[in-house]
């Protein structure tokens, strides 16, 4: 699951254009010697661009958006990987990187046993054992993870009408409508 094809989709609001804000990750980084080898994937904002990265059996997949992410307003972002190439969509428009901002070696992602984490990156700076780097300054809503690469037509459909939770290949869906508390519940029946 989530090794060969994946789509991450959701609404995000970024409050600033200067920081790195991690949206979601399932990543082990060898930055600072934290892990011996990188594994998994992450999706984050770097200043005004989205970066979609993952470690595959053939090397590092890296895609930096060719268009800027709007700041201060909700935007629908999507990152896909079909086992060969990656794409980034911003409000339904293909904003994938080109040239030196795009690397697609193909192959399955190298998996790890870490859970998904939303709103922060679990590498880099720690304060009393708590990661404090790449904290997202903004909001996440209606975040979904699929075990296949959605088409642009499907992306436009889910941009207008969110998943119900029972769709085929939908792995996780958090609508963030719990009202109170600190736990977001997966809405899928899968």
């Amino acid at each position: 699951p989530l090794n060969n094809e994946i789509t991450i989709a959701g609404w995000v609001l970024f409050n600033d254009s200067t920081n790195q804000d991690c949206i979601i990750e399932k990543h082990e980084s060898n930055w600072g010697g934290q892990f011996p080898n990188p594994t998994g994937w992450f999706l984050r904002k770097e200043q005004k661009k989205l970066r979609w990265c993952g470690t595959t059996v053939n090397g590092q997949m890296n895609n930096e958006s060719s268009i800027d992410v709007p700041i201060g307003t909700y935007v629908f972002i999507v990152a896909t990987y079909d086992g060969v190439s990656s794409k980034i969509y911003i409000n339904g428009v293909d904003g994938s990187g080109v040239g030196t901002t795009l690397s697609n070696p193909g192959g399955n992602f190298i998996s790890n046993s870490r859970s998904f984490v939303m709103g922060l990156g679990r590498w880099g700076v720690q304060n009393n054992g708590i990661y404090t780097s790449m904290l997202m300054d903004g909001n996440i809503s209606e975040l979904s993870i699929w075990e296949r690469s959605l088409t642009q037509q499907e992306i436009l459909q889910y941009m207008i009408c969110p998943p119900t939770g029972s769709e085929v290949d939908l792995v996780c869906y958090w609508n963030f409508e719990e009202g109170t508390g600190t736990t977001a519940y997966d809405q899928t029946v899968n």
Side-chain angles (χ1 to χ4, degrees), residues 2 26 30 46 51 57-58 77 83 85 87 114 117 126 132 137 146 157 162:
L2 301 180
K26 186 178 180 353
N30 60 350
E46 296 178 353
R51 181 167 304 278
V57 295
N58 295 326
I77 54 104
S85 62
K87 290 192 175 194
R114 294 188 109 178
V117 171
Q126 289 188 35
T132 58
D137 182 7
W146 303 75
Q157 172 189 333

Side-chain angles (χ1 to χ4, degrees), residues 3-20:
N3 290 339
N4 188 31
E5 291 192 37
I6 185 173
T7 296
I8 299 169
W11 289 93
V12 294
L13 179 144
F14 299 109
N15 291 324
D16 71 76
S17 61
T18 58
N19 295 325
Q20 294 183 0

